[in-house]
Amino acid sequence: MEDPRLLRGRGRYVDDVVLPRMLSLAFVRSPHAHAAIRAVDARAALALDGVVAVFTAAALRQVARPLVPRLECDGFTPTAWPPLADGIARFCGEAVAAVVAESAYLAADARELVAVDYEPLPAVASLDAALAANRILFRRDYRNGDVDGAFAKAAIVVRETFEHGRCAASPLEPRGVVAEWDGETLTVWASTQTPSIMRAALARALDLAETRVRVLAPDVGGGFGLKMHVFPEDVAVAAIARLTGRPVKWVEARRENLAAASQARAQRMEVEVAAAADGVLLGLRARAISDGGAYHVYPITGALEPLGSTGILPGPYRTPVYAYDAVTVATNKPPLGAYRGVGMTMGAFVMERLLDVVAERAGLDPVEVRRRNLIPREAYPFTSASGLTYDSGDFPKALGQLLAVARYDELRYQQQAARAAGRLVGVGLACYTEYTGMGADVFRRRGMADVPGIEAATVTMDPDGTVRCLTSFPSQGQGHATTVSQLVADRLGVPLGSISVEPVDTLAAPRGSGTFGSRGAVAMLGTAAAAANRVRTKIQTLAAHLLEASPADVVLDEGSAHVRGFPDRAVAVTELARLAWAPPLGGLPGGLPPGLDATVYFNPPGPTFSGAIHLAVVEVDRETGRVAVLRYALVEDCGPVINPTIVEGQIHGAVAQGLGEALLEAIVYDADGQLLTATLMDYALPKADSVPAFEIGHLEMPSPAMPGGVKGMGEGGTIGAPAAIANAVADAVRPLGLTITRLPIRSEYLANKA
Ligand code: MCN
């Protein structure tokens, strides 16, 4: 429903917000990874006509607090990320000063004139340097069962170290904020996934009551996890709007996005797997170390990445015992944040590579080793070796379905023929479980004090019979307006076109958490659909009085309410809506209260685990090392699919991102913490011509716990694709004696090897 407006360029993004007397803001950013800030000389900048002010940490210190995300558990070392670097810059790109001027161009020019006197300090720019200096931001040890015993009796033990470089979420629309202070209330338009969380964070940072902070999320041009965070830039813009008394806009440039927004993955995992001679897994040991950057990001902290990867590592397999050590270290780089598939991408990559190695050692086909280890359908609910309870699934069936879709036997035959002709063709599989739909319990157990975990929606039928939906969770491209409308229209028996899903404005929308962690589908069923059910009940009750029937016998269909079996005993829904808002003499029948709306707050009983199996066929160019993905097939299970077009669109987009992660995208720093990939010329994103056609199959195994049985799926493609492509490349280059342990897989590693 949202597509025609967005595709015709009628979307309204933060940069489209124009307010009277609005100033533009540009940040002066540190060119050093680590430096003392001795002095900031803004005289030349201030001398430019149209430059209004230059702010440093000293000016903001009185009015804005640093962001201090909380993780209430052992092993966590908090950090405080100030709105502007206060005395010390801790990564290349950290905001040091802010210039506000009458136009964006003036602000950008003036930024160049701000002279900052830095004293460069030694930078810690690698995992090993951070480990050697014991700069630990987070640590957790976990042990389940007799792991040493499992290794002692194993016929096959595989030890390997895997790495995933840093990458960037790269939404089409970078970060951006407009803030306005009217003397009493702070109004913020933000490109955000989490309006309620942002309101709470800004209120705390600026010492305001939450009632005096209003956050609006207009159209958001992609978020991919990046925009679930609240950043110091957001606090700085809000504080400067308050100090200047004028609206202030900051819209990030692409270079800033690559240098200063949170980044993702950046993990090394040392792992050991024990298996019996027949390839059956006996135990796992892992040590995950994440390069957390200079600060914890708000609200999720740098703990999420290693916890996510170690938690999901056992995947859909019956691994009986497991021990892990999850660590995040501090480096002089931008903080590590959420990006579609956070933690799970690394977990799936490592586990799926391991299984292929176990298969090779056991002399099995990669399909066979999976068959021997996948959790059978009858074992659900199944508690994994890391303690996650998978609620529903049938991976053996999904595997069978996928092999049929992909014509696996034929594929292997074709591969042999290609190999005989000297071509490097490989086939890779990846099975994964996806952690979705979590509610407050998950966040409380983790100690994530700044993430409420609930969601909410208000559904109102207006007197003309049209329906407005306000949700606590905005859309960044997931098609929420379509799916929410679909669910609400179904329940109210009105046409899809009479439903509108409003952009989130915390003044009107009920409080929640936001769109992240693939919670949207579960939240829609628990909030908007539940609220529509309440509105429906009221319509049925009203109609029952008028039609002299029992409410249970009133059917809503095509805009009318009629008695079951008597289509002529009917009243128009619009007539009921008009009555509800303008009661007749003597009030509504049966003493019903006026109004036709409902707000439902919902605490998802999740997590619920969806899952999928991906299969990639690749060909590696012997000379250039370029990898072409020739075929891509998958079977996914997200429970009952609400909207198949959206689900497949989500898969296409996420697999494209996963392909980028697997083969192209790397944020690279030198040994001094200098960013070497500051533009999209250096940071390579996948383009349309690198993405193959998709062959998608669905398996619908409903979650017993979630409303409507739905499970989330928005991150799946980025979890499965890097693993499947890595296995396919490894399969292709096996004849060259190469192995794949690192993402992205660089073409120079594959080129000219034989
Ligand atoms: N859906 C469905 N049936 C299901 C499950 C989902 O029809 N059984 C639909 C939902 O109604 C929704 C979409 O699929 O329209 C995704 O639902 P869900 O998996 O619940 O994920 P969320 O709505 O919570 O979206 C978040 C998820 C995450 S975590 C990231 S990151 C992400 C993503 O979705 N960022 C995106 N997809 C994105 N897509 C776009 N275009 N832009 C982003 O920033």
Side-chain angles (χ1 to χ4, degrees):
M1 283 185 63
E2 53 268 80
D3 289 358
R5 190 174 60 81
L6 296 174
L7 292 173
R8 289 191 182 115
R10 302 223 173 101
R12 190 165 185 256
Y13 299 89
V14 165
D15 205 18
D16 297 317
V17 175
V18 176
L19 301 175
R21 300 177 63 244
M22 190 168 76
L23 297 171
S24 289
L25 184 147
F27 287 105
V28 177
R29 296 187 176 277
S30 171
H32 302 287
H34 194 199
I37 302 162
R38 285 209 197 109
V40 178
D41 182 352
R43 281 170 299 180
L46 287 167
L48 267 191
D49 210 15
V51 172
V52 173
V54 176
F55 293 91
T56 59
L60 295 195
R61 210 179 291 137
Q62 317 304 326
V63 291
R65 297 196 187 112
L67 290 165
V68 187
R70 293 173 292 167
L71 193 69
E72 292 172 345
C73 65
D74 293 341
F76 179 71
T77 310
T79 60
W81 194 358
L84 293 171
D86 199 349
I88 293 188
R90 291 188 169 80
F91 65 89
C92 178
E94 183 169 4
V96 169
V99 180
V100 278
E102 299 292 346
S103 81
Y105 300 103
L106 262 174
D109 287 349
R111 168 178 49 199
E112 304 301 318
L113 301 176
V114 176
V116 184
D117 182 9
Y118 293 102
E119 181 192 339
L121 301 169
V124 174
S126 70
L127 274 182
D128 291 318
L131 278 173
N134 203 26
R135 292 164 54 114
I136 307 294
L137 285 175
F138 172 74
R139 159 161 268 147
R140 172 168 304 159
D141 294 339
Y142 173 91
R143 177 167 289 270
N144 176 6
D146 179 10
V147 180
D148 294 342
F151 276 84
K153 65 174 188 237
I156 299 172
V157 173
V158 178
R159 289 193 182 86
E160 193 52 270
T161 299
F162 294 92
E163 290 197 41
H164 194 322
R166 279 191 162 233
C167 62
S170 309
L172 214 52
E173 179 204 26
R175 297 178 295 163
V177 193
V178 172
E180 181 181 36
W181 173 252
D182 68 3
E184 283 185 7
T185 302
L186 177 74
T187 304
V188 172
W189 289 259
S191 188
T192 178
Q193 298 173 223
T194 52
S196 293
I197 288 177
M198 179 173 262
R199 171 176 57 184
L202 290 177
R204 189 174 313 134
L206 300 181
D207 203 15
L208 291 168
E210 279 202 32
T211 43
R212 291 173 67 199
V213 181
R214 173 183 178 193
V215 176
L216 299 98
D219 287 319
V220 176
F224 307 114
L226 171 69
K227 293 176 185 171
M228 75 167 294
H229 307 124
V230 182
F231 289 101
E233 285 94 337
D234 306 325
V235 178
V237 172
I240 291 169
R242 198 173 174 192
L243 288 173
T244 57
R246 292 179 64 176
V248 175
K249 177 191 279 184
W250 167 65
V251 173
E252 184 178 57
R254 183 59 61 185
R255 286 176 78 109
E256 273 185 298
N257 183 262
L258 282 168
S262 59
Q263 298 168 352
R265 315 299 193 230
Q267 195 182 127
R268 178 192 297 163
M269 198 187 276
E270 297 154 8
V271 64
E272 288 175 276
V273 62
D278 60 0
V280 169
L281 300 178
L282 301 174
L284 266 176
R285 273 196 204 113
R287 181 168 187 240
I289 310 155
S290 289
D291 170 353
Y295 305 96
H296 285 293
V297 73
Y298 188 97
I300 62 158
T301 80
L304 199 59
E305 179 67 32
L307 278 183
S309 57
T310 47
I312 214 74
L313 189 73
Y317 304 110
R318 281 174 301 179
T319 319
V321 295
Y322 179 30
Y324 70 73
D325 186 9
V327 181
T328 304
V329 293
T331 58
N332 292 108
K333 293 183 195 163
L336 196 65
Y339 171 41
R340 203 173 196 173
V342 56
M344 296 181 279
T345 302
M346 182 68 177
F349 164 59
V350 171
M351 193 64 189
E352 293 305 304
R353 285 296 303 119
L354 283 175
L355 271 170
D356 272 15
V357 179
V358 169
E360 216 179 325
R361 297 271 293 273
L364 298 172
D365 185 272
V367 168
E368 188 51 33
V369 80
R370 286 170 176 81
R371 267 202 198 110
R372 292 185 186 185
N373 287 288
L374 284 171
I375 300 161
R377 176 182 177 160
E378 54 281 7
Y380 286 85
F382 181 90
T383 300
S384 80
S386 59
L388 304 177
T389 301
Y390 303 149
D391 44 342
S392 67
D394 189 345
F395 276 89
K397 185 170 177 188
L399 182 60
Q401 222 171 304
L402 178 66
L403 300 181
V405 168
R407 301 181 304 279
Y408 185 76
D409 293 339
E410 224 175 279
L411 262 183
R412 286 293 183 199
Y413 180 73
Q414 288 163 355
Q415 182 190 22
Q416 275 175 16
R419 272 203 185 141
R423 291 167 59 201
L424 298 175
V425 171
V427 180
L429 274 173
C431 309
Y432 64 85
T433 43
E434 181 180 355
Y435 200 108
T436 77
M438 50 274 220
D441 280 6
V442 170
F443 300 111
R444 296 299 82 76
R445 269 199 299 271
R446 288 183 184 166
M448 292 172 77
D450 300 308
V451 180
I454 62 158
E455 296 304 339
T458 300
V459 171
T460 306
M461 182 177 278
D462 280 324
D464 63 358
T466 58
V467 181
R468 278 178 295 132
C469 306
L470 301 174
T471 61
S472 56
F473 43 95
S475 169
Q476 303 88 53
Q478 298 91 342
H480 284 187
T482 302
T483 36
V484 168
S485 301
Q486 197 185 316
L487 293 170
V488 171
D490 278 357
R491 280 156 183 80
L492 297 181
V494 296
L496 210 55
S498 64
I499 315 268
S500 72
V501 179
E502 306 291 327
V504 178
D505 172 355
T506 58
L507 197 61
R511 181 183 291 271
S513 306
T515 304
F516 54 86
S518 299
R519 303 162 67 250
V522 167
M524 283 170 206
L525 263 298
T527 63
N533 280 337
R534 287 197 195 165
V535 171
R536 174 195 175 89
T537 302
K538 181 139 183 205
I539 295 173
Q540 285 172 314
T541 311
L542 251 181
H545 280 288
L546 298 180
L547 301 170
E548 296 180 348
S550 147
D553 289 335
V554 174
V555 178
L556 301 186
D557 192 18
E558 295 187 4
S560 107
H562 69 263
V563 182
R564 194 183 313 279
F566 299 94
D568 294 343
R569 276 176 67 197
V571 54
V573 169
T574 44
E575 176 57 16
L576 297 168
R578 196 185 57 75
L579 272 183
W581 292 106
L585 198 64
L588 290 177
L592 283 174
L596 201 47
D597 68 349
T599 297
V600 173
Y601 290 91
F602 173 62
N603 182 9
T608 173
F609 289 85
S610 54
I613 311 185
H614 289 210
L615 180 146
V617 183
V618 304
E619 177 159 10
V620 178
D621 185 297
R622 277 182 189 272
E623 260 176 53
T624 64
R626 186 175 180 276
V627 177
V629 181
L630 305 179
R631 274 186 70 189
Y632 207 93
L634 62 102
V635 171
E636 68 80 37
D637 165 24
C638 61
V641 171
I642 306 169
N643 187 309
T645 308
I646 289 184
V647 164
E648 296 205 353
Q650 286 288 302
I651 292 171
H652 295 183
V655 169
Q657 285 186 309
L659 187 150
E661 268 190 83
L663 300 174
L664 301 165
E665 299 182 41
I667 296 266
V668 182
Y669 286 89
D670 73 7
D672 297 321
Q674 272 298 326
L675 177 62
L676 303 180
T677 48
T679 75
L680 293 183
M681 292 297 287
D682 312 300
Y683 185 79
L685 290 169
K687 302 190 188 68
D689 65 357
S690 20
V691 180
F694 294 94
E695 298 153 79
I696 300 175
H698 300 280
L699 174 69
E700 297 191 357
M701 298 295 295
S703 161
M706 296 300 127
V710 296
K711 311 188 271 195
M713 51 68 59
E715 297 163 89
T718 42
I719 303 169
I725 293 171
N727 274 344
V729 174
D731 188 36
V733 298
R734 190 171 299 120
L736 307 182
L738 296 176
T739 177
I740 303 297
T741 55
R742 220 195 123 77
L743 296 177
I745 305 163
R746 307 184 70 92
S747 42
E748 49 278 32
Y749 173 68
L750 305 174
N752 287 320
K753 287 292 168 354

